[in-house]
Amino acid sequence: MEGSDEFMKYRSPLVSRYASKEMAYNFSDRKKFTTWRKLWIYLAKAEKALGLPISEAQVVEMEGHAEDIDFAMAADEERKLRHDVMAHVHTFAHCCPAAAPIIHLGATSCYVGDNTLARVLDRLANFAEKYADLPTLGYTHYQPAQLTTVGKRACLWLQDLAMDMRNLQRARDDLRFRGVKGTTGTQASFLQLFQGDHDKVEDLDRMVTEMAGFKKSYLVTGQTYSRKVDIDSLSSLASLGATIHKICTDIRLLANLKEIEEPFEKEQIGSSAMPYKRNPMRAERCCSLARHLMALLSNPMQTASVQWLERTLDDSANRSRISLPESFLTADIILSTLQNVTEGLVVYPKVIERHIRHELPFMATENIIMAMVKAGGNRQDCHEKIRVLSQQAAAVVKQEGGDNDLLTRVQADPYFSPILSHLDTILDPKTFIGRAPQQVARFLSEEVRPMLEPYKTKMDVKIELEL
């Protein structure tokens, strides 16, 4: 087979096609291994401050080579040693010969191991506010039900996203640093380094935790932090995946009704076989990847359940190389795609109005009966009249494929003459939407806008997608 080596290997589309460059970098080898080196530097600094024989020159040497990674050498070392952390210890030591004896001193290999969502909330909040009082058919069981408004429906999406925002913030705020705990979590190696001084071991743990940017470390660990932490983090992401799947499924259903469409580029092709089609490909992409995100949650749950005693190594390949990076990459992709969708949602009020006109006569029968009673009619007589006319109109719709002509039948029946002059008012769709506009206004002002306040300087970024 001929061709570039680049095209001879599988490349994850999460990185090569969909993910933002920022999120892809977060899980890149360079980010990972420079983070390891920073952690070794933090450890050396704290050990030096607490009296271990580490010189300033050794620390400076390490800091000067923090970004200087020979990836080819590291790969060769890993092939020989079969240990990724020690391979990078050796590689770092090669460019820091003076500091080589103190790199990773006393540590175990496990020592190193919201803006887009806010913008989606912002775009949907603006959409909900714009269409707060535009009546539309509500659906239960995907059958026409009472009217709601386009903006109120968007608030249902917003409410789920707001829950996800709170869940993600809680998961982030609950994260702690593993800390400096040693091979089985007892800190025995560090206690030996500091000649039995428990206070210095405590200070070392605290100092390194603060250097790494954490407020707290876990007080007890095995060789690793509890893998339940991964379940907690990825549960929030999987829940976000469920929300986005529901939102994009709704958009796909509404696109079928031609009431709402996602943005569509001028040169975009909807179908190779049917040139008239405008497939909701962005929403479909979100649904496809959201299913993957939700499925990834089973990995950390199974991993946490099989961690024998203080630790076993059957977590590493699954956890750090697949389930963690793929969860964050996938969440990044579907959020970016959803932001693009919400920035260009198209609403077709005339189509929505036509659908209302088709269903509203049946929904309005109770209003017509009440109006007749107020005009002096008998409720039972009126109910029977409406029942007969409704069944006749339903037969036209279902058996003949015609339009709903119930109102024409009502207008033609002399019995209803007392209310014909204000029939249009009785049938105004806005009298059927209840408090939907008021609910939208209160929800946005009391829950959504305050949640977005910390992100107000980040709202101008727009998303351009590779289709």
Side-chain angles (χ1 to χ4, degrees):
M1 296 176 66
E2 296 182 358
S4 168
D5 287 346
E6 178 185 358
F7 299 103
M8 301 288 282
K9 299 177 181 178
Y10 172 75
R11 296 182 301 162
S12 169
L14 295 179
V15 175
S16 64
R17 178 167 182 172
Y18 298 134
S20 68
K21 60 183 180 181
E22 293 83 4
M23 188 61 76
Y25 173 71
N26 280 338
F27 291 95
S28 67
D29 283 350
R30 179 162 294 281
K31 174 72 172 179
K32 175 180 179 179
F33 297 127
T34 55
T35 298
W36 286 10
R37 291 190 174 190
K38 287 176 184 177
L39 290 172
W40 289 325
I41 292 168
Y42 299 154
L43 181 62
K45 283 183 171 182
E47 289 174 334
K48 175 180 179 293
L50 292 168
L52 290 188
I54 296 171
S55 70
E56 183 64 23
Q58 287 174 312
V59 173
V60 169
E61 184 181 54
M62 292 170 71
E63 290 179 326
H65 291 280
E67 305 281 340
D68 181 17
I69 300 177
D70 187 334
F71 287 100
M73 174 182 285
D76 287 340
E77 290 289 334
E78 186 170 355
R79 275 192 289 272
K80 289 186 292 183
L81 301 172
R82 299 297 178 187
H83 198 294
D84 55 351
V85 174
M86 291 311 299
H88 278 270
V89 169
H90 286 206
T91 303
F92 197 16
H94 179 78
C95 57
C96 300
I102 58 92
I103 294 173
H104 199 64
L105 182 59
T108 172
S109 59
C110 291
Y111 170 67
V112 290
D114 304 323
N115 289 339
T116 307
L117 177 52
R119 288 194 290 269
V120 171
L121 281 160
D122 174 72
R123 280 24 167 201
L124 272 179
N126 295 337
F127 179 87
E129 188 171 50
K130 181 177 179 180
Y131 295 105
D133 61 353
L134 179 62
T136 188
L137 281 175
Y139 289 88
T140 58
H141 313 278
Y142 201 44
Q143 302 299 313
Q146 287 186 343
L147 300 192
T148 183
T149 70
V150 172
K152 171 63 188 299
R153 178 178 284 142
C155 284
L156 299 180
W157 303 337
L158 276 165
Q159 180 165 250
D160 288 353
L161 289 169
M163 292 173 65
D164 292 316
M165 174 75 91
R166 287 190 289 270
N167 288 339
L168 288 166
Q169 289 172 339
R170 180 202 51 76
R172 181 194 62 200
D173 293 344
D174 284 352
L175 278 178
R176 299 187 190 185
F177 196 51
R178 176 186 179 268
V180 181
K181 299 296 193 298
T183 305
T184 59
T186 65
Q187 298 177 306
S189 57
F190 296 104
L191 190 62
Q192 185 176 5
L193 281 172
F194 288 107
Q195 300 178 338
D197 191 328
H198 290 268
D199 290 339
K200 284 191 174 181
V201 176
E202 291 269 359
D203 288 342
L204 177 69
D205 202 351
R206 175 184 54 78
M207 291 169 68
V208 174
T209 296
E210 290 174 355
M211 289 181 190
F214 287 82
K215 295 179 181 178
K216 290 183 177 181
S217 67
Y218 293 104
L219 297 181
V220 294
T221 72
Q223 190 175 82
T224 68
Y225 64 76
S226 169
R227 293 313 186 211
K228 288 278 287 186
V229 175
D230 297 338
I231 296 176
D232 202 26
S233 298
L234 298 199
S235 291
S236 298
L237 296 179
S239 179
L240 173 66
T243 295
I244 293 178
H245 197 294
K246 184 266 189 295
I247 292 170
C248 290
T249 298
D250 284 355
I251 291 172
R252 292 163 66 190
L253 292 171
L254 293 169
N256 172 259
L257 298 174
K258 297 182 173 58
E259 293 188 357
I260 287 180
E261 284 184 342
E262 65 179 38
F264 198 86
E265 307 302 328
K266 185 177 180 181
E267 303 296 326
Q268 183 177 332
I269 295 174
S271 166
S272 60
M274 293 162 280
Y276 60 87
K277 291 188 73 178
R278 293 181 59 153
N279 296 337
M281 59 176 296
R282 293 167 173 83
E284 289 173 329
R285 178 187 296 177
C286 282
C287 289
S288 177
L289 292 175
R291 290 199 301 275
H292 178 58
L293 178 56
M294 290 185 281
L296 285 169
L297 180 57
S298 65
N299 282 329
M301 288 194 291
Q302 293 185 58
T303 295
S305 73
V306 298
Q307 290 302 290
W308 299 350
L309 305 175
E310 279 65 49
R311 195 263 173 108
T312 182
L313 194 58
D314 65 355
D315 65 334
S316 180
N318 177 310
R319 171 188 162 274
S320 58
R321 292 179 174 88
I322 300 174
S323 59
L324 284 178
E326 287 206 355
S327 291
F328 281 92
L329 288 164
T330 305
D332 172 66
I333 293 161
I334 60 178
L335 271 176
S336 298
T337 306
L338 184 58
Q339 180 184 333
N340 177 267
V341 169
T342 56
E343 286 173 347
L345 275 178
V346 181
V347 177
Y348 296 106
K350 293 297 184 183
V351 176
I352 294 172
E353 183 183 342
R354 184 173 74 244
H355 291 159
I356 291 174
R357 283 201 311 268
H358 185 74
E359 300 291 342
L360 188 61
F362 292 143
M363 297 179 187
T365 53
E366 183 63 23
N367 293 39
I368 293 173
I369 291 171
M370 294 305 296
M372 279 297 298
V373 170
K374 287 180 182 179
N378 178 279
R379 190 188 188 285
Q380 283 67 37
D381 293 343
C382 185
H383 184 278
E384 180 60 19
K385 285 277 189 181
I386 288 291
R387 186 188 68 80
V388 172
L389 296 179
S390 295
Q391 289 184 349
Q392 292 171 351
V396 170
V397 172
K398 295 178 180 179
Q399 297 174 19
E400 301 176 16
D403 292 333
N404 187 335
D405 63 358
L406 175 58
L407 294 183
T408 301
R409 294 175 184 275
V410 168
Q411 290 168 331
D413 192 323
Y415 177 83
F416 295 99
S417 58
I419 65 167
L420 293 183
S421 61
H422 49 279
L423 195 57
D424 287 344
T425 302
I426 296 171
L427 295 171
D428 181 357
K430 289 193 175 182
T431 65
F432 292 83
I433 60 175
R435 298 190 64 253
Q438 291 75 22
Q439 290 178 346
V440 170
R442 184 178 178 188
F443 176 63
L444 296 181
S445 66
E446 293 187 16
E447 293 200 27
V448 179
R449 300 299 185 194
M451 178 177 282
L452 296 178
E453 188 63 23
Y455 303 91
K456 61 184 178 182
T457 61
K458 309 288 186 182
M459 291 298 166
D460 291 339
V461 179
K462 289 200 168 185
I463 296 293
E464 299 293 334
L465 295 181
E466 280 189 43
L467 299 176

